Short mmCIF file of all heavy atoms in Angstrom, two decimals:
data_model
loop_
_atom_site.label_atom_id
_atom_site.label_comp_id
_atom_site.label_asym_id
_atom_site.label_seq_id
_atom_site.Cartn_x
_atom_site.Cartn_y
_atom_site.Cartn_z
N GLY A 1 0.80 -1.22 0.00
CA GLY A 1 0.00 0.00 0.00
C GLY A 1 0.83 1.26 0.00
O GLY A 1 2.04 1.25 -0.29
N LEU A 2 0.18 2.36 0.39
CA LEU A 2 0.77 3.69 0.36
C LEU A 2 0.52 4.38 1.70
O LEU A 2 -0.49 4.13 2.36
CB LEU A 2 0.17 4.53 -0.77
CG LEU A 2 0.20 3.93 -2.18
CD1 LEU A 2 -0.63 4.78 -3.13
CD2 LEU A 2 1.63 3.82 -2.68
N LYS A 3 1.44 5.30 2.04
CA LYS A 3 1.29 6.04 3.29
C LYS A 3 1.72 7.48 3.10
O LYS A 3 2.79 7.75 2.54
CB LYS A 3 2.11 5.39 4.41
CG LYS A 3 1.94 6.05 5.77
CD LYS A 3 2.72 5.32 6.84
CE LYS A 3 2.53 5.96 8.22
NZ LYS A 3 3.31 5.24 9.27
N TRP A 4 0.86 8.39 3.55
CA TRP A 4 1.16 9.82 3.53
C TRP A 4 1.36 10.26 4.98
O TRP A 4 0.40 10.31 5.77
CB TRP A 4 0.03 10.61 2.89
CG TRP A 4 -0.12 10.38 1.42
CD1 TRP A 4 0.32 11.17 0.41
CD2 TRP A 4 -0.80 9.28 0.78
NE1 TRP A 4 -0.02 10.65 -0.81
CE2 TRP A 4 -0.71 9.48 -0.61
CE3 TRP A 4 -1.47 8.15 1.27
CZ2 TRP A 4 -1.27 8.59 -1.52
CZ3 TRP A 4 -2.01 7.25 0.35
CH2 TRP A 4 -1.91 7.48 -1.02
N ASP A 5 2.60 10.55 5.33
CA ASP A 5 2.94 10.94 6.70
C ASP A 5 3.86 12.15 6.62
O ASP A 5 4.87 12.13 5.92
CB ASP A 5 3.62 9.77 7.43
CG ASP A 5 3.79 10.04 8.91
OD1 ASP A 5 3.05 10.88 9.45
OD2 ASP A 5 4.67 9.41 9.53
N HIS A 6 3.51 13.23 7.31
CA HIS A 6 4.25 14.50 7.19
C HIS A 6 4.26 14.97 5.74
O HIS A 6 5.29 15.43 5.22
CB HIS A 6 5.68 14.36 7.72
CG HIS A 6 5.75 14.08 9.19
ND1 HIS A 6 5.49 15.05 10.13
CD2 HIS A 6 6.01 12.93 9.87
CE1 HIS A 6 5.61 14.52 11.34
NE2 HIS A 6 5.91 13.24 11.21
N CYS A 7 3.10 14.87 5.10
CA CYS A 7 2.97 15.30 3.71
C CYS A 7 2.56 16.77 3.69
O CYS A 7 1.46 17.13 4.11
CB CYS A 7 1.92 14.45 2.99
SG CYS A 7 1.59 14.95 1.30
N ARG A 8 3.44 17.63 3.19
CA ARG A 8 3.16 19.07 3.20
C ARG A 8 2.00 19.44 2.29
O ARG A 8 1.35 20.46 2.49
CB ARG A 8 4.42 19.84 2.81
CG ARG A 8 5.53 19.78 3.85
CD ARG A 8 6.71 20.64 3.46
NE ARG A 8 6.41 22.06 3.49
CZ ARG A 8 6.54 22.83 4.57
NH1 ARG A 8 6.95 22.31 5.73
NH2 ARG A 8 6.27 24.11 4.52
N ASP A 9 1.73 18.61 1.29
CA ASP A 9 0.57 18.87 0.43
C ASP A 9 -0.74 18.69 1.18
O ASP A 9 -1.79 19.17 0.71
CB ASP A 9 0.58 17.94 -0.79
CG ASP A 9 1.66 18.31 -1.79
OD1 ASP A 9 2.07 19.49 -1.79
OD2 ASP A 9 2.09 17.44 -2.57
N TYR A 10 -0.70 18.00 2.30
CA TYR A 10 -1.90 17.77 3.09
C TYR A 10 -1.99 18.71 4.30
O TYR A 10 -2.69 18.43 5.27
CB TYR A 10 -1.97 16.32 3.57
CG TYR A 10 -2.34 15.35 2.46
CD1 TYR A 10 -2.18 13.98 2.64
CD2 TYR A 10 -2.83 15.78 1.24
CE1 TYR A 10 -2.50 13.08 1.63
CE2 TYR A 10 -3.16 14.91 0.24
CZ TYR A 10 -2.99 13.55 0.43
OH TYR A 10 -3.33 12.67 -0.57
N VAL A 11 -1.26 19.82 4.25
CA VAL A 11 -1.38 20.87 5.26
C VAL A 11 -2.40 21.90 4.76
O VAL A 11 -2.25 22.47 3.67
CB VAL A 11 -0.03 21.55 5.53
CG1 VAL A 11 -0.21 22.68 6.55
CG2 VAL A 11 0.99 20.52 6.05
N PHE A 12 -3.44 22.13 5.54
CA PHE A 12 -4.50 23.07 5.19
C PHE A 12 -4.54 24.23 6.17
O PHE A 12 -4.23 24.05 7.37
CB PHE A 12 -5.88 22.37 5.25
CG PHE A 12 -6.10 21.32 4.20
CD1 PHE A 12 -5.59 20.04 4.36
CD2 PHE A 12 -6.83 21.60 3.06
CE1 PHE A 12 -5.81 19.06 3.41
CE2 PHE A 12 -7.06 20.63 2.09
CZ PHE A 12 -6.54 19.36 2.28
N ASP A 13 -4.91 25.40 5.68
CA ASP A 13 -5.22 26.50 6.59
C ASP A 13 -6.38 26.09 7.48
O ASP A 13 -7.37 25.52 7.01
CB ASP A 13 -5.60 27.76 5.82
CG ASP A 13 -4.40 28.44 5.18
OD1 ASP A 13 -3.26 28.17 5.62
OD2 ASP A 13 -4.61 29.24 4.26
N GLY A 14 -6.27 26.43 8.77
CA GLY A 14 -7.37 26.10 9.68
C GLY A 14 -8.62 26.92 9.39
O GLY A 14 -9.74 26.45 9.56
N GLY A 15 -8.41 28.16 8.95
CA GLY A 15 -9.56 29.03 8.68
C GLY A 15 -10.32 29.36 9.95
O GLY A 15 -9.75 29.40 11.05
N ASN A 16 -11.61 29.58 9.80
CA ASN A 16 -12.46 29.90 10.94
C ASN A 16 -13.79 29.18 10.77
O ASN A 16 -14.09 28.64 9.71
CB ASN A 16 -12.69 31.42 11.03
CG ASN A 16 -12.96 31.88 12.46
OD1 ASN A 16 -13.40 31.10 13.30
ND2 ASN A 16 -12.67 33.14 12.73
N GLU A 17 -14.59 29.16 11.84
CA GLU A 17 -15.89 28.51 11.74
C GLU A 17 -16.74 29.22 10.69
O GLU A 17 -16.65 30.45 10.51
CB GLU A 17 -16.60 28.54 13.09
CG GLU A 17 -15.80 27.96 14.25
CD GLU A 17 -15.51 26.48 14.11
OE1 GLU A 17 -16.08 25.82 13.21
OE2 GLU A 17 -14.69 25.96 14.89
N TYR A 18 -17.57 28.46 10.01
CA TYR A 18 -18.47 29.05 9.02
C TYR A 18 -19.47 29.97 9.72
O TYR A 18 -19.91 29.70 10.85
CB TYR A 18 -19.23 27.96 8.27
CG TYR A 18 -18.45 27.33 7.15
CD1 TYR A 18 -17.30 26.56 7.41
CD2 TYR A 18 -18.84 27.48 5.82
CE1 TYR A 18 -16.58 25.96 6.38
CE2 TYR A 18 -18.14 26.88 4.78
CZ TYR A 18 -17.01 26.14 5.07
OH TYR A 18 -16.29 25.55 4.04
N ARG A 19 -19.83 31.03 9.07
CA ARG A 19 -20.91 31.89 9.55
C ARG A 19 -22.24 31.21 9.24
O ARG A 19 -22.30 30.26 8.45
CB ARG A 19 -20.82 33.26 8.89
CG ARG A 19 -19.52 34.02 9.24
CD ARG A 19 -19.52 35.38 8.59
NE ARG A 19 -18.28 36.11 8.81
CZ ARG A 19 -18.05 36.93 9.82
NH1 ARG A 19 -19.00 37.10 10.75
NH2 ARG A 19 -16.91 37.59 9.93
N LYS A 20 -23.32 31.74 9.83
CA LYS A 20 -24.61 31.07 9.64
C LYS A 20 -25.76 32.04 9.90
O LYS A 20 -25.60 33.06 10.56
CB LYS A 20 -24.73 29.86 10.58
CG LYS A 20 -24.60 30.23 12.06
CD LYS A 20 -24.53 29.00 12.95
CE LYS A 20 -24.34 29.39 14.40
NZ LYS A 20 -24.24 28.21 15.30
N PHE A 21 -26.91 31.69 9.34
CA PHE A 21 -28.15 32.39 9.64
C PHE A 21 -29.30 31.43 9.37
O PHE A 21 -29.12 30.37 8.76
CB PHE A 21 -28.30 33.67 8.80
CG PHE A 21 -28.44 33.43 7.33
CD1 PHE A 21 -29.68 33.18 6.74
CD2 PHE A 21 -27.31 33.48 6.51
CE1 PHE A 21 -29.79 32.96 5.37
CE2 PHE A 21 -27.42 33.27 5.14
CZ PHE A 21 -28.67 33.01 4.58
N GLU A 22 -30.47 31.83 9.83
CA GLU A 22 -31.65 30.98 9.70
C GLU A 22 -32.88 31.85 9.49
O GLU A 22 -33.11 32.79 10.25
CB GLU A 22 -31.80 30.11 10.95
CG GLU A 22 -32.68 28.91 10.78
CD GLU A 22 -32.53 27.95 11.96
OE1 GLU A 22 -32.47 28.42 13.11
OE2 GLU A 22 -32.49 26.73 11.74
N VAL A 23 -33.64 31.54 8.46
CA VAL A 23 -34.91 32.22 8.21
C VAL A 23 -36.01 31.18 8.35
O VAL A 23 -36.23 30.37 7.45
CB VAL A 23 -34.95 32.87 6.81
CG1 VAL A 23 -36.28 33.60 6.61
CG2 VAL A 23 -33.79 33.83 6.62
N LEU A 24 -36.68 31.18 9.50
CA LEU A 24 -37.69 30.17 9.78
C LEU A 24 -39.11 30.71 9.65
O LEU A 24 -40.03 29.98 9.30
CB LEU A 24 -37.50 29.60 11.19
CG LEU A 24 -36.20 28.86 11.46
CD1 LEU A 24 -36.20 28.30 12.88
CD2 LEU A 24 -35.99 27.73 10.46
N ASP A 25 -39.27 31.99 9.97
CA ASP A 25 -40.59 32.59 10.03
C ASP A 25 -40.54 33.93 9.30
O ASP A 25 -39.56 34.65 9.38
CB ASP A 25 -40.99 32.80 11.50
CG ASP A 25 -42.46 33.10 11.67
OD1 ASP A 25 -42.95 34.07 11.07
OD2 ASP A 25 -43.15 32.36 12.41
N LEU A 26 -41.60 34.25 8.59
CA LEU A 26 -41.64 35.51 7.84
C LEU A 26 -42.21 36.66 8.65
O LEU A 26 -42.25 37.79 8.17
CB LEU A 26 -42.44 35.31 6.55
CG LEU A 26 -41.89 34.26 5.60
CD1 LEU A 26 -42.79 34.08 4.38
CD2 LEU A 26 -40.47 34.62 5.15
N ASP A 27 -42.65 36.38 9.87
CA ASP A 27 -43.18 37.42 10.76
C ASP A 27 -42.26 37.71 11.93
O ASP A 27 -42.39 38.77 12.57
CB ASP A 27 -44.55 36.99 11.30
CG ASP A 27 -45.60 36.86 10.21
OD1 ASP A 27 -45.62 37.73 9.31
OD2 ASP A 27 -46.38 35.90 10.25
N HIS A 28 -41.35 36.80 12.24
CA HIS A 28 -40.45 36.97 13.39
C HIS A 28 -39.02 36.64 12.97
O HIS A 28 -38.79 35.69 12.23
CB HIS A 28 -40.88 36.06 14.56
CG HIS A 28 -42.29 36.28 15.01
ND1 HIS A 28 -43.35 35.58 14.46
CD2 HIS A 28 -42.81 37.12 15.92
CE1 HIS A 28 -44.47 35.97 15.04
NE2 HIS A 28 -44.17 36.91 15.92
N THR A 29 -38.09 37.44 13.48
CA THR A 29 -36.68 37.20 13.16
C THR A 29 -36.19 35.93 13.85
O THR A 29 -36.73 35.53 14.89
CB THR A 29 -35.80 38.38 13.59
OG1 THR A 29 -35.97 38.59 15.00
CG2 THR A 29 -36.18 39.64 12.83
N SER A 30 -35.19 35.31 13.28
CA SER A 30 -34.57 34.13 13.86
C SER A 30 -33.05 34.31 13.82
O SER A 30 -32.56 35.41 13.59
CB SER A 30 -35.03 32.86 13.13
OG SER A 30 -34.98 33.02 11.73
N MET A 31 -32.31 33.24 14.02
CA MET A 31 -30.87 33.31 14.23
C MET A 31 -30.16 34.13 13.14
O MET A 31 -30.25 33.82 11.95
CB MET A 31 -30.29 31.89 14.25
CG MET A 31 -28.79 31.85 14.48
SD MET A 31 -28.16 30.15 14.49
CE MET A 31 -28.53 29.64 12.81
N GLY A 32 -29.47 35.17 13.57
CA GLY A 32 -28.65 35.97 12.68
C GLY A 32 -29.39 37.04 11.90
O GLY A 32 -28.75 37.84 11.22
N ILE A 33 -30.71 37.08 11.99
CA ILE A 33 -31.50 38.03 11.21
C ILE A 33 -31.88 39.23 12.07
O ILE A 33 -32.45 39.08 13.15
CB ILE A 33 -32.76 37.35 10.64
CG1 ILE A 33 -32.36 36.15 9.77
CG2 ILE A 33 -33.59 38.35 9.85
CD1 ILE A 33 -31.47 36.50 8.59
N GLU A 34 -31.56 40.42 11.59
CA GLU A 34 -31.84 41.65 12.33
C GLU A 34 -33.24 42.17 12.05
O GLU A 34 -33.92 42.69 12.94
CB GLU A 34 -30.80 42.71 11.95
CG GLU A 34 -30.97 44.03 12.69
CD GLU A 34 -29.88 45.03 12.32
OE1 GLU A 34 -29.19 44.81 11.28
OE2 GLU A 34 -29.71 46.02 13.06
N GLU A 35 -33.72 42.03 10.80
CA GLU A 35 -35.00 42.63 10.43
C GLU A 35 -35.62 41.84 9.28
O GLU A 35 -34.93 41.33 8.40
CB GLU A 35 -34.79 44.09 10.00
CG GLU A 35 -36.05 44.81 9.58
CD GLU A 35 -35.77 46.20 9.02
OE1 GLU A 35 -34.58 46.58 8.91
OE2 GLU A 35 -36.75 46.90 8.65
N LEU A 36 -36.95 41.74 9.31
CA LEU A 36 -37.73 41.19 8.21
C LEU A 36 -38.62 42.28 7.65
O LEU A 36 -39.18 43.08 8.40
CB LEU A 36 -38.58 40.01 8.68
CG LEU A 36 -37.84 38.73 9.08
CD1 LEU A 36 -38.78 37.78 9.80
CD2 LEU A 36 -37.24 38.04 7.85
N ARG A 37 -38.75 42.32 6.31
CA ARG A 37 -39.52 43.41 5.72
C ARG A 37 -40.20 42.92 4.43
O ARG A 37 -39.60 42.19 3.64
CB ARG A 37 -38.60 44.59 5.41
CG ARG A 37 -39.31 45.85 4.94
CD ARG A 37 -38.28 46.89 4.49
NE ARG A 37 -37.26 47.16 5.51
CZ ARG A 37 -36.12 47.78 5.25
NH1 ARG A 37 -35.84 48.16 4.00
NH2 ARG A 37 -35.25 48.01 6.22
N TRP A 38 -41.45 43.32 4.24
CA TRP A 38 -42.18 43.07 3.01
C TRP A 38 -42.16 44.34 2.18
O TRP A 38 -42.55 45.41 2.66
CB TRP A 38 -43.61 42.64 3.32
CG TRP A 38 -44.53 42.60 2.13
CD1 TRP A 38 -45.50 43.49 1.80
CD2 TRP A 38 -44.55 41.60 1.10
NE1 TRP A 38 -46.13 43.13 0.64
CE2 TRP A 38 -45.56 41.97 0.17
CE3 TRP A 38 -43.81 40.45 0.85
CZ2 TRP A 38 -45.86 41.21 -0.96
CZ3 TRP A 38 -44.10 39.69 -0.27
CH2 TRP A 38 -45.12 40.08 -1.16
N ASP A 39 -41.68 44.26 0.93
CA ASP A 39 -41.54 45.47 0.11
C ASP A 39 -42.66 45.62 -0.91
O ASP A 39 -42.56 46.46 -1.82
CB ASP A 39 -40.18 45.47 -0.59
CG ASP A 39 -40.01 44.31 -1.57
OD1 ASP A 39 -41.00 43.60 -1.85
OD2 ASP A 39 -38.88 44.11 -2.07
N GLY A 40 -43.72 44.85 -0.76
CA GLY A 40 -44.82 44.91 -1.70
C GLY A 40 -44.72 43.86 -2.78
O GLY A 40 -45.70 43.59 -3.49
N GLU A 41 -43.54 43.25 -2.92
CA GLU A 41 -43.34 42.21 -3.93
C GLU A 41 -42.65 40.98 -3.36
O GLU A 41 -42.99 39.85 -3.70
CB GLU A 41 -42.52 42.78 -5.09
CG GLU A 41 -42.34 41.82 -6.25
CD GLU A 41 -41.57 42.44 -7.40
OE1 GLU A 41 -41.16 43.63 -7.28
OE2 GLU A 41 -41.36 41.75 -8.42
N HIS A 42 -41.66 41.21 -2.49
CA HIS A 42 -40.88 40.11 -1.93
C HIS A 42 -40.75 40.26 -0.43
O HIS A 42 -40.80 41.37 0.12
CB HIS A 42 -39.46 40.08 -2.53
CG HIS A 42 -39.42 40.01 -4.02
ND1 HIS A 42 -39.95 38.96 -4.73
CD2 HIS A 42 -38.90 40.87 -4.94
CE1 HIS A 42 -39.76 39.17 -6.02
NE2 HIS A 42 -39.13 40.32 -6.18
#
């Protein structure tokens, strides 16, 4: 078989946690949402 040990090609930036939001209700804000608004069309 094959073994990759101390392989520099397999070093990745750690980055950061993904951001997120949730739109569950059209009348009440949910996670990450500051305001909900109806513009007459959308």
Side-chain angles (χ1 to χ4, degrees):
L2 307 171
K3 183 177 181 180
W4 291 260
D5 189 22
H6 295 286
C7 176
R8 291 184 68 88
D9 287 336
Y10 286 166
V11 178
F12 292 81
D13 285 341
N16 208 336
E17 306 295 350
Y18 279 66
R19 297 182 184 269
K20 59 188 177 181
F21 65 86
E22 198 167 42
V23 182
L24 297 183
D25 194 303
L26 299 177
D27 296 319
H28 303 90
T29 58
S30 46
M31 181 181 64
I33 302 301
E34 182 178 16
E35 180 186 2
L36 291 167
R37 187 188 307 164
W38 169 255
D39 63 9
E41 185 177 0
H42 304 299

